[in-house]
Amino acid sequence: MKDRIILLDLNYTLVSNQEKTRMIRPFSSRLRAEEYRRDLIEAIKENPVIIITARPSYQGRESLENIQRKTRWNPMEAYFNDLNLDPPSIKESILERFVFPKHGNDGKLYFAVESNPRTRAMYYRHGIPAEPYDKFIQRFPEIVLRMTKDPAQLELFTDETESK
């Protein structure tokens, strides 16, 4: 797995509590409430990771800053929805416009961790294996076991403004 570029879904995959936070407004409050999967980051941190998300591009900078602040981790690249398309369509467009020209279009170079079944089907059409988080993380039983013994929550990392 370490030889693959991970194509990582943000909403419902890296964000563990998306169902609870998706309607929170303003967006800054939503970001404060977002929690990220520590075990998933641990599993992929040695790989090159590209976040490909349907989240709007105008929320990209804040989203990446929040991920870094709460997890101390950054993806190699991140692409947000700049065309206001549905998830499978924008992710395919991002593959074709940015990822394939830069990294190659051989599906064997990649592995997608993706929540949306229609998006996983699109990845499969490009020869890219794809699994949802709950199946993917089973590939790393030692990480799951370690995280179960050390249940620290990433939402405990507070924003600098909240601690003042």
Short mmCIF file of all heavy atoms in Angstrom, two decimals, residues 15-78:
data_model
loop_
_atom_site.label_atom_id
_atom_site.label_comp_id
_atom_site.label_asym_id
_atom_site.label_seq_id
_atom_site.Cartn_x
_atom_site.Cartn_y
_atom_site.Cartn_z
N VAL A 15 -13.36 13.35 7.74
CA VAL A 15 -14.22 13.97 8.76
C VAL A 15 -15.10 12.87 9.36
O VAL A 15 -15.97 12.32 8.69
CB VAL A 15 -15.09 15.10 8.18
CG1 VAL A 15 -16.00 15.68 9.25
CG2 VAL A 15 -14.22 16.18 7.56
N SER A 16 -14.86 12.57 10.62
CA SER A 16 -15.59 11.46 11.26
C SER A 16 -17.00 11.83 11.69
O SER A 16 -17.85 10.95 11.83
CB SER A 16 -14.80 10.95 12.47
OG SER A 16 -14.72 11.96 13.46
N ASN A 17 -17.27 13.09 11.91
CA ASN A 17 -18.59 13.50 12.41
C ASN A 17 -19.34 14.38 11.41
O ASN A 17 -20.11 15.27 11.79
CB ASN A 17 -18.45 14.21 13.76
CG ASN A 17 -17.65 15.50 13.67
OD1 ASN A 17 -16.87 15.70 12.75
ND2 ASN A 17 -17.84 16.36 14.66
N GLN A 18 -19.15 14.13 10.14
CA GLN A 18 -19.77 14.93 9.08
C GLN A 18 -21.29 14.99 9.21
O GLN A 18 -21.88 16.04 8.99
CB GLN A 18 -19.39 14.33 7.72
CG GLN A 18 -19.99 15.05 6.53
CD GLN A 18 -19.36 16.39 6.26
OE1 GLN A 18 -18.26 16.66 6.69
NE2 GLN A 18 -20.06 17.23 5.55
N GLU A 19 -21.90 13.91 9.57
CA GLU A 19 -23.37 13.89 9.69
C GLU A 19 -23.85 14.91 10.72
O GLU A 19 -24.88 15.55 10.54
CB GLU A 19 -23.85 12.48 10.05
CG GLU A 19 -25.34 12.29 9.93
CD GLU A 19 -25.88 12.49 8.53
OE1 GLU A 19 -25.25 12.03 7.56
OE2 GLU A 19 -26.95 13.11 8.38
N LYS A 20 -23.08 15.09 11.79
CA LYS A 20 -23.45 16.04 12.84
C LYS A 20 -23.09 17.48 12.50
O LYS A 20 -23.73 18.40 12.98
CB LYS A 20 -22.76 15.67 14.16
CG LYS A 20 -23.19 14.36 14.74
CD LYS A 20 -22.39 14.06 15.99
CE LYS A 20 -22.67 12.66 16.50
NZ LYS A 20 -21.78 12.31 17.61
N THR A 21 -22.05 17.67 11.69
CA THR A 21 -21.53 19.03 11.48
C THR A 21 -21.92 19.66 10.16
O THR A 21 -21.76 20.87 10.00
CB THR A 21 -19.98 19.03 11.57
OG1 THR A 21 -19.46 18.19 10.53
CG2 THR A 21 -19.50 18.56 12.93
N ARG A 22 -22.44 18.91 9.23
CA ARG A 22 -22.61 19.41 7.87
C ARG A 22 -23.53 20.62 7.74
O ARG A 22 -23.38 21.42 6.82
CB ARG A 22 -23.03 18.30 6.92
CG ARG A 22 -24.40 17.75 7.16
CD ARG A 22 -24.65 16.52 6.27
NE ARG A 22 -26.01 16.06 6.43
CZ ARG A 22 -27.01 16.45 5.66
NH1 ARG A 22 -26.79 17.28 4.66
NH2 ARG A 22 -28.23 16.01 5.88
N MET A 23 -24.47 20.78 8.67
CA MET A 23 -25.41 21.90 8.57
C MET A 23 -25.05 23.07 9.50
O MET A 23 -25.78 24.04 9.56
CB MET A 23 -26.83 21.40 8.86
CG MET A 23 -27.31 20.34 7.88
SD MET A 23 -27.20 20.83 6.14
CE MET A 23 -28.54 21.99 6.06
N ILE A 24 -23.95 22.97 10.22
CA ILE A 24 -23.56 24.04 11.13
C ILE A 24 -23.12 25.26 10.33
O ILE A 24 -22.32 25.15 9.40
CB ILE A 24 -22.43 23.58 12.08
CG1 ILE A 24 -22.92 22.47 12.99
CG2 ILE A 24 -21.90 24.77 12.89
CD1 ILE A 24 -21.83 21.87 13.88
N ARG A 25 -23.65 26.40 10.69
CA ARG A 25 -23.29 27.68 10.07
C ARG A 25 -22.94 28.65 11.18
O ARG A 25 -23.51 28.56 12.25
CB ARG A 25 -24.44 28.24 9.22
CG ARG A 25 -24.91 27.30 8.10
CD ARG A 25 -23.86 27.12 7.01
NE ARG A 25 -24.34 26.29 5.93
CZ ARG A 25 -24.22 24.97 5.84
NH1 ARG A 25 -23.66 24.29 6.80
NH2 ARG A 25 -24.66 24.31 4.81
N PRO A 26 -22.05 29.58 10.98
CA PRO A 26 -21.23 29.78 9.78
C PRO A 26 -20.19 28.68 9.63
O PRO A 26 -20.00 27.88 10.55
CB PRO A 26 -20.57 31.13 10.02
CG PRO A 26 -20.49 31.26 11.51
CD PRO A 26 -21.72 30.55 12.03
N PHE A 27 -19.51 28.69 8.51
CA PHE A 27 -18.54 27.64 8.20
C PHE A 27 -17.44 27.55 9.24
O PHE A 27 -16.98 26.47 9.57
CB PHE A 27 -17.95 27.85 6.80
CG PHE A 27 -17.06 26.74 6.35
CD1 PHE A 27 -17.59 25.48 6.10
CD2 PHE A 27 -15.70 26.94 6.17
CE1 PHE A 27 -16.77 24.43 5.70
CE2 PHE A 27 -14.88 25.91 5.76
CZ PHE A 27 -15.42 24.65 5.52
N SER A 28 -17.03 28.68 9.79
CA SER A 28 -15.98 28.66 10.83
C SER A 28 -16.43 27.85 12.04
O SER A 28 -15.63 27.15 12.65
CB SER A 28 -15.60 30.08 11.23
OG SER A 28 -16.73 30.78 11.71
N SER A 29 -17.71 27.92 12.39
CA SER A 29 -18.23 27.11 13.51
C SER A 29 -18.24 25.63 13.14
O SER A 29 -17.96 24.77 13.98
CB SER A 29 -19.64 27.57 13.88
OG SER A 29 -19.61 28.88 14.38
N ARG A 30 -18.58 25.35 11.91
CA ARG A 30 -18.54 23.97 11.43
C ARG A 30 -17.13 23.39 11.55
O ARG A 30 -16.95 22.28 12.04
CB ARG A 30 -19.03 23.90 9.99
CG ARG A 30 -18.92 22.53 9.36
CD ARG A 30 -19.43 22.58 7.94
NE ARG A 30 -19.08 21.39 7.21
CZ ARG A 30 -19.34 21.23 5.93
NH1 ARG A 30 -19.97 22.15 5.24
NH2 ARG A 30 -18.98 20.12 5.32
N LEU A 31 -16.15 24.16 11.12
CA LEU A 31 -14.77 23.69 11.20
C LEU A 31 -14.34 23.44 12.64
O LEU A 31 -13.64 22.47 12.93
CB LEU A 31 -13.82 24.67 10.52
CG LEU A 31 -13.86 24.71 9.00
CD1 LEU A 31 -12.91 25.77 8.47
CD2 LEU A 31 -13.56 23.35 8.39
N ARG A 32 -14.73 24.32 13.54
CA ARG A 32 -14.39 24.11 14.95
C ARG A 32 -14.96 22.79 15.47
O ARG A 32 -14.36 22.13 16.30
CB ARG A 32 -14.88 25.28 15.81
CG ARG A 32 -13.93 26.45 15.81
CD ARG A 32 -14.25 27.45 16.91
NE ARG A 32 -15.57 28.05 16.77
CZ ARG A 32 -15.86 29.07 15.97
NH1 ARG A 32 -14.92 29.61 15.22
NH2 ARG A 32 -17.08 29.56 15.92
N ALA A 33 -16.12 22.40 14.96
CA ALA A 33 -16.78 21.17 15.42
C ALA A 33 -16.29 19.91 14.70
O ALA A 33 -16.48 18.80 15.20
CB ALA A 33 -18.29 21.30 15.24
N GLU A 34 -15.65 20.06 13.54
CA GLU A 34 -15.21 18.89 12.78
C GLU A 34 -14.16 18.08 13.55
O GLU A 34 -13.24 18.64 14.16
CB GLU A 34 -14.61 19.30 11.43
CG GLU A 34 -15.64 19.48 10.37
CD GLU A 34 -15.08 19.66 8.98
OE1 GLU A 34 -13.84 19.81 8.80
OE2 GLU A 34 -15.89 19.65 8.04
N GLU A 35 -14.30 16.77 13.46
CA GLU A 35 -13.34 15.83 14.04
C GLU A 35 -12.77 15.00 12.89
O GLU A 35 -13.47 14.63 11.96
CB GLU A 35 -14.02 14.91 15.05
CG GLU A 35 -14.63 15.65 16.21
CD GLU A 35 -15.50 14.78 17.10
OE1 GLU A 35 -15.51 13.54 16.92
OE2 GLU A 35 -16.18 15.34 17.97
N TYR A 36 -11.47 14.69 12.99
CA TYR A 36 -10.78 13.95 11.94
C TYR A 36 -10.32 12.60 12.47
O TYR A 36 -9.97 12.47 13.64
CB TYR A 36 -9.59 14.77 11.42
CG TYR A 36 -10.03 16.12 10.91
CD1 TYR A 36 -9.82 17.27 11.68
CD2 TYR A 36 -10.70 16.24 9.70
CE1 TYR A 36 -10.26 18.50 11.23
CE2 TYR A 36 -11.13 17.48 9.25
CZ TYR A 36 -10.91 18.60 10.01
OH TYR A 36 -11.35 19.82 9.56
N ARG A 37 -10.33 11.62 11.62
CA ARG A 37 -10.01 10.24 12.02
C ARG A 37 -8.50 10.06 12.22
O ARG A 37 -7.75 10.00 11.26
CB ARG A 37 -10.51 9.27 10.98
CG ARG A 37 -12.02 9.28 10.80
CD ARG A 37 -12.42 8.21 9.79
NE ARG A 37 -13.74 8.43 9.28
CZ ARG A 37 -14.86 8.01 9.84
NH1 ARG A 37 -14.81 7.35 10.98
NH2 ARG A 37 -16.03 8.25 9.27
N ARG A 38 -8.11 9.95 13.48
CA ARG A 38 -6.70 9.75 13.82
C ARG A 38 -6.16 8.46 13.24
O ARG A 38 -5.03 8.40 12.77
CB ARG A 38 -6.57 9.70 15.36
CG ARG A 38 -5.87 10.87 15.93
CD ARG A 38 -5.85 10.80 17.44
NE ARG A 38 -4.67 10.07 17.89
CZ ARG A 38 -4.65 9.24 18.93
NH1 ARG A 38 -5.71 9.01 19.63
NH2 ARG A 38 -3.53 8.66 19.27
N ASP A 39 -6.95 7.40 13.30
CA ASP A 39 -6.48 6.11 12.80
C ASP A 39 -6.25 6.16 11.29
O ASP A 39 -5.27 5.60 10.79
CB ASP A 39 -7.42 4.98 13.19
CG ASP A 39 -8.86 5.18 12.74
OD1 ASP A 39 -9.21 6.29 12.26
OD2 ASP A 39 -9.66 4.24 12.88
N LEU A 40 -7.10 6.86 10.57
CA LEU A 40 -6.94 6.97 9.13
C LEU A 40 -5.67 7.75 8.79
O LEU A 40 -4.89 7.34 7.92
CB LEU A 40 -8.17 7.64 8.51
CG LEU A 40 -8.15 7.84 7.00
CD1 LEU A 40 -7.91 6.52 6.26
CD2 LEU A 40 -9.45 8.50 6.55
N ILE A 41 -5.44 8.84 9.47
CA ILE A 41 -4.22 9.62 9.24
C ILE A 41 -2.99 8.77 9.54
O ILE A 41 -2.02 8.77 8.78
CB ILE A 41 -4.23 10.92 10.07
CG1 ILE A 41 -5.31 11.85 9.52
CG2 ILE A 41 -2.86 11.59 10.05
CD1 ILE A 41 -5.59 13.05 10.39
N GLU A 42 -3.04 8.03 10.63
CA GLU A 42 -1.92 7.15 10.99
C GLU A 42 -1.67 6.11 9.88
O GLU A 42 -0.53 5.82 9.53
CB GLU A 42 -2.21 6.46 12.32
CG GLU A 42 -1.10 5.61 12.84
CD GLU A 42 0.12 6.38 13.30
OE1 GLU A 42 0.03 7.57 13.59
OE2 GLU A 42 1.20 5.76 13.35
N ALA A 43 -2.74 5.58 9.31
CA ALA A 43 -2.63 4.55 8.28
C ALA A 43 -2.05 5.07 6.97
O ALA A 43 -1.37 4.33 6.25
CB ALA A 43 -3.99 3.91 8.03
N ILE A 44 -2.28 6.34 6.64
CA ILE A 44 -1.88 6.87 5.33
C ILE A 44 -0.72 7.85 5.38
O ILE A 44 -0.24 8.28 4.33
CB ILE A 44 -3.08 7.54 4.62
CG1 ILE A 44 -3.57 8.76 5.42
CG2 ILE A 44 -4.19 6.53 4.38
CD1 ILE A 44 -4.64 9.57 4.74
N LYS A 45 -0.25 8.19 6.56
CA LYS A 45 0.72 9.29 6.69
C LYS A 45 2.05 9.04 5.96
O LYS A 45 2.73 9.99 5.62
CB LYS A 45 0.96 9.63 8.15
CG LYS A 45 1.72 8.59 8.92
CD LYS A 45 1.90 9.00 10.36
CE LYS A 45 2.72 7.96 11.10
NZ LYS A 45 2.86 8.33 12.51
N GLU A 46 2.41 7.80 5.70
CA GLU A 46 3.66 7.51 4.98
C GLU A 46 3.48 7.54 3.47
O GLU A 46 4.45 7.48 2.73
CB GLU A 46 4.21 6.14 5.41
CG GLU A 46 4.50 6.03 6.90
CD GLU A 46 5.54 7.04 7.39
OE1 GLU A 46 6.51 7.30 6.64
OE2 GLU A 46 5.37 7.57 8.50
N ASN A 47 2.25 7.62 3.02
CA ASN A 47 1.95 7.67 1.58
C ASN A 47 1.84 9.11 1.11
O ASN A 47 1.48 9.99 1.90
CB ASN A 47 0.59 7.00 1.30
CG ASN A 47 0.60 5.53 1.51
OD1 ASN A 47 0.63 5.08 2.65
ND2 ASN A 47 0.55 4.77 0.45
N PRO A 48 2.06 9.33 -0.17
CA PRO A 48 1.63 10.61 -0.73
C PRO A 48 0.09 10.61 -0.74
O PRO A 48 -0.52 9.62 -1.14
CB PRO A 48 2.20 10.62 -2.14
CG PRO A 48 2.72 9.25 -2.40
CD PRO A 48 2.73 8.48 -1.12
N VAL A 49 -0.51 11.68 -0.24
CA VAL A 49 -1.97 11.75 -0.12
C VAL A 49 -2.48 12.98 -0.87
O VAL A 49 -1.95 14.08 -0.70
CB VAL A 49 -2.41 11.81 1.35
CG1 VAL A 49 -3.93 11.96 1.46
CG2 VAL A 49 -1.94 10.59 2.12
N ILE A 50 -3.52 12.76 -1.66
CA ILE A 50 -4.19 13.84 -2.36
C ILE A 50 -5.64 13.85 -1.88
O ILE A 50 -6.37 12.88 -2.08
CB ILE A 50 -4.14 13.67 -3.89
CG1 ILE A 50 -2.69 13.59 -4.39
CG2 ILE A 50 -4.90 14.80 -4.59
CD1 ILE A 50 -2.57 13.23 -5.87
N ILE A 51 -6.04 14.93 -1.24
CA ILE A 51 -7.45 15.09 -0.88
C ILE A 51 -8.18 15.56 -2.13
O ILE A 51 -7.78 16.54 -2.77
CB ILE A 51 -7.64 16.10 0.27
CG1 ILE A 51 -7.12 15.50 1.59
CG2 ILE A 51 -9.12 16.50 0.40
CD1 ILE A 51 -7.22 16.44 2.79
N ILE A 52 -9.25 14.84 -2.46
CA ILE A 52 -10.12 15.24 -3.56
C ILE A 52 -11.53 15.28 -2.97
O ILE A 52 -12.06 14.26 -2.54
CB ILE A 52 -10.06 14.25 -4.74
CG1 ILE A 52 -8.63 14.14 -5.27
CG2 ILE A 52 -11.01 14.67 -5.84
CD1 ILE A 52 -8.46 13.17 -6.41
N THR A 53 -12.10 16.48 -2.94
CA THR A 53 -13.35 16.66 -2.23
C THR A 53 -14.37 17.46 -3.02
O THR A 53 -14.01 18.32 -3.83
CB THR A 53 -13.09 17.33 -0.85
OG1 THR A 53 -14.33 17.51 -0.18
CG2 THR A 53 -12.40 18.67 -1.01
N ALA A 54 -15.63 17.20 -2.72
CA ALA A 54 -16.73 17.97 -3.30
C ALA A 54 -16.99 19.26 -2.52
O ALA A 54 -17.82 20.07 -2.90
CB ALA A 54 -18.00 17.13 -3.34
N ARG A 55 -16.25 19.47 -1.42
CA ARG A 55 -16.39 20.71 -0.65
C ARG A 55 -16.00 21.87 -1.57
O ARG A 55 -15.01 21.79 -2.30
CB ARG A 55 -15.50 20.66 0.58
CG ARG A 55 -15.68 21.84 1.52
CD ARG A 55 -14.91 21.67 2.79
NE ARG A 55 -15.55 20.69 3.66
CZ ARG A 55 -15.15 20.40 4.90
NH1 ARG A 55 -14.10 21.03 5.42
NH2 ARG A 55 -15.79 19.50 5.63
N PRO A 56 -16.75 22.97 -1.53
CA PRO A 56 -16.48 24.09 -2.44
C PRO A 56 -15.07 24.66 -2.29
O PRO A 56 -14.51 24.71 -1.19
CB PRO A 56 -17.52 25.14 -2.03
CG PRO A 56 -18.59 24.39 -1.31
CD PRO A 56 -17.92 23.21 -0.67
N SER A 57 -14.53 25.10 -3.40
CA SER A 57 -13.15 25.60 -3.41
C SER A 57 -12.97 26.82 -2.52
O SER A 57 -11.89 27.01 -1.95
CB SER A 57 -12.69 25.90 -4.83
OG SER A 57 -13.55 26.83 -5.45
N TYR A 58 -14.00 27.64 -2.33
CA TYR A 58 -13.83 28.82 -1.48
C TYR A 58 -13.65 28.45 -0.01
O TYR A 58 -13.25 29.28 0.80
CB TYR A 58 -14.98 29.83 -1.67
CG TYR A 58 -16.33 29.35 -1.19
CD1 TYR A 58 -16.73 29.52 0.13
CD2 TYR A 58 -17.23 28.77 -2.08
CE1 TYR A 58 -17.98 29.09 0.56
CE2 TYR A 58 -18.47 28.34 -1.66
CZ TYR A 58 -18.85 28.50 -0.34
OH TYR A 58 -20.08 28.08 0.09
N GLN A 59 -13.91 27.19 0.34
CA GLN A 59 -13.70 26.70 1.71
C GLN A 59 -12.39 25.92 1.84
O GLN A 59 -12.06 25.42 2.91
CB GLN A 59 -14.87 25.81 2.14
CG GLN A 59 -16.18 26.54 2.20
CD GLN A 59 -17.36 25.62 2.44
OE1 GLN A 59 -17.29 24.40 2.24
NE2 GLN A 59 -18.47 26.19 2.87
N GLY A 60 -11.62 25.85 0.77
CA GLY A 60 -10.41 25.04 0.74
C GLY A 60 -9.33 25.46 1.72
O GLY A 60 -8.83 24.66 2.49
N ARG A 61 -8.94 26.72 1.67
CA ARG A 61 -7.85 27.19 2.53
C ARG A 61 -8.19 26.99 4.01
O ARG A 61 -7.38 26.44 4.76
CB ARG A 61 -7.55 28.67 2.25
CG ARG A 61 -6.36 29.21 3.05
CD ARG A 61 -6.12 30.69 2.83
NE ARG A 61 -7.30 31.52 3.08
CZ ARG A 61 -7.74 31.85 4.31
NH1 ARG A 61 -7.12 31.44 5.37
NH2 ARG A 61 -8.81 32.60 4.44
N GLU A 62 -9.39 27.41 4.41
CA GLU A 62 -9.79 27.24 5.81
C GLU A 62 -9.84 25.76 6.21
O GLU A 62 -9.45 25.41 7.33
CB GLU A 62 -11.17 27.86 6.05
CG GLU A 62 -11.20 29.35 6.11
CD GLU A 62 -12.61 29.83 6.36
OE1 GLU A 62 -13.37 29.93 5.37
OE2 GLU A 62 -12.96 30.07 7.53
N SER A 63 -10.32 24.93 5.31
CA SER A 63 -10.41 23.49 5.60
C SER A 63 -9.03 22.90 5.83
O SER A 63 -8.81 22.16 6.80
CB SER A 63 -11.11 22.75 4.46
OG SER A 63 -12.45 23.19 4.31
N LEU A 64 -8.09 23.21 4.95
CA LEU A 64 -6.73 22.68 5.08
C LEU A 64 -6.02 23.21 6.32
O LEU A 64 -5.32 22.46 7.01
CB LEU A 64 -5.91 22.98 3.82
CG LEU A 64 -6.35 22.22 2.58
CD1 LEU A 64 -5.60 22.73 1.34
CD2 LEU A 64 -6.17 20.72 2.74
N GLU A 65 -6.23 24.47 6.62
CA GLU A 65 -5.65 25.03 7.85
C GLU A 65 -6.21 24.33 9.08
O GLU A 65 -5.48 24.07 10.04
CB GLU A 65 -5.91 26.54 7.92
CG GLU A 65 -5.08 27.34 6.93
CD GLU A 65 -5.49 28.81 6.86
OE1 GLU A 65 -6.47 29.22 7.53
OE2 GLU A 65 -4.82 29.55 6.11
N ASN A 66 -7.49 24.04 9.06
CA ASN A 66 -8.14 23.36 10.19
C ASN A 66 -7.61 21.94 10.36
O ASN A 66 -7.32 21.50 11.48
CB ASN A 66 -9.66 23.35 9.99
CG ASN A 66 -10.41 22.99 11.24
OD1 ASN A 66 -10.25 23.61 12.29
ND2 ASN A 66 -11.26 21.98 11.13
N ILE A 67 -7.47 21.23 9.26
CA ILE A 67 -6.92 19.87 9.32
C ILE A 67 -5.51 19.90 9.91
O ILE A 67 -5.19 19.13 10.81
CB ILE A 67 -6.92 19.22 7.91
CG1 ILE A 67 -8.35 18.95 7.45
CG2 ILE A 67 -6.09 17.93 7.92
CD1 ILE A 67 -8.47 18.61 5.97
N GLN A 68 -4.69 20.82 9.43
CA GLN A 68 -3.31 20.90 9.92
C GLN A 68 -3.28 21.28 11.40
O GLN A 68 -2.54 20.69 12.19
CB GLN A 68 -2.52 21.92 9.10
CG GLN A 68 -1.01 21.76 9.18
CD GLN A 68 -0.40 22.17 10.50
OE1 GLN A 68 -0.79 23.15 11.11
NE2 GLN A 68 0.57 21.41 10.95
N ARG A 69 -4.11 22.23 11.79
CA ARG A 69 -4.13 22.69 13.18
C ARG A 69 -4.58 21.57 14.13
O ARG A 69 -4.00 21.39 15.20
CB ARG A 69 -5.06 23.90 13.30
CG ARG A 69 -5.13 24.52 14.67
CD ARG A 69 -5.95 25.81 14.73
NE ARG A 69 -7.23 25.75 14.06
CZ ARG A 69 -7.53 26.34 12.90
NH1 ARG A 69 -6.63 27.04 12.24
NH2 ARG A 69 -8.74 26.25 12.39
N LYS A 70 -5.57 20.80 13.71
CA LYS A 70 -6.12 19.77 14.60
C LYS A 70 -5.35 18.46 14.56
O LYS A 70 -5.41 17.68 15.50
CB LYS A 70 -7.59 19.51 14.26
CG LYS A 70 -8.50 20.64 14.68
CD LYS A 70 -9.95 20.27 14.45
CE LYS A 70 -10.87 21.36 14.98
NZ LYS A 70 -12.28 20.95 14.85
N THR A 71 -4.65 18.18 13.46
CA THR A 71 -4.00 16.88 13.31
C THR A 71 -2.49 16.94 13.20
O THR A 71 -1.83 15.91 13.30
CB THR A 71 -4.52 16.15 12.05
OG1 THR A 71 -4.06 16.84 10.89
CG2 THR A 71 -6.03 16.03 12.04
N ARG A 72 -1.96 18.12 12.91
CA ARG A 72 -0.52 18.29 12.64
C ARG A 72 -0.10 17.51 11.40
O ARG A 72 1.04 17.08 11.28
CB ARG A 72 0.35 17.89 13.84
CG ARG A 72 -0.05 18.48 15.16
CD ARG A 72 0.13 19.99 15.19
NE ARG A 72 -0.13 20.52 16.51
CZ ARG A 72 -1.12 21.36 16.79
NH1 ARG A 72 -1.95 21.74 15.85
NH2 ARG A 72 -1.29 21.83 18.00
N TRP A 73 -1.01 17.31 10.47
CA TRP A 73 -0.77 16.56 9.24
C TRP A 73 -1.28 17.38 8.06
O TRP A 73 -2.28 18.09 8.17
CB TRP A 73 -1.50 15.22 9.30
CG TRP A 73 -1.49 14.45 8.01
CD1 TRP A 73 -0.48 13.65 7.55
CD2 TRP A 73 -2.52 14.41 7.02
NE1 TRP A 73 -0.82 13.12 6.32
CE2 TRP A 73 -2.07 13.58 5.99
CE3 TRP A 73 -3.78 15.01 6.91
CZ2 TRP A 73 -2.83 13.32 4.85
CZ3 TRP A 73 -4.54 14.76 5.79
CH2 TRP A 73 -4.07 13.91 4.77
N ASN A 74 -0.58 17.26 6.93
CA ASN A 74 -1.00 17.91 5.69
C ASN A 74 -0.96 16.90 4.55
O ASN A 74 -0.02 16.10 4.47
CB ASN A 74 -0.04 19.05 5.31
CG ASN A 74 -0.21 20.26 6.18
OD1 ASN A 74 -1.31 20.75 6.36
ND2 ASN A 74 0.90 20.73 6.74
N PRO A 75 -1.92 16.96 3.65
CA PRO A 75 -1.82 16.14 2.44
C PRO A 75 -0.76 16.72 1.51
O PRO A 75 -0.38 17.89 1.63
CB PRO A 75 -3.22 16.27 1.82
CG PRO A 75 -3.68 17.62 2.26
CD PRO A 75 -3.12 17.81 3.65
N MET A 76 -0.31 15.91 0.57
CA MET A 76 0.65 16.37 -0.44
C MET A 76 -0.02 17.41 -1.35
O MET A 76 0.60 18.42 -1.71
CB MET A 76 1.12 15.17 -1.27
CG MET A 76 2.02 15.49 -2.43
SD MET A 76 2.57 14.01 -3.32
CE MET A 76 1.08 13.55 -4.22
N GLU A 77 -1.27 17.16 -1.70
CA GLU A 77 -2.06 18.06 -2.55
C GLU A 77 -3.50 17.99 -2.09
O GLU A 77 -3.90 17.01 -1.45
CB GLU A 77 -2.00 17.63 -4.02
CG GLU A 77 -0.64 17.66 -4.64
CD GLU A 77 -0.59 17.03 -6.03
OE1 GLU A 77 -1.64 16.98 -6.72
OE2 GLU A 77 0.49 16.57 -6.41
N ALA A 78 -4.27 18.99 -2.45
CA ALA A 78 -5.71 18.98 -2.15
C ALA A 78 -6.45 19.73 -3.25
O ALA A 78 -6.00 20.79 -3.70
CB ALA A 78 -5.98 19.61 -0.80
#
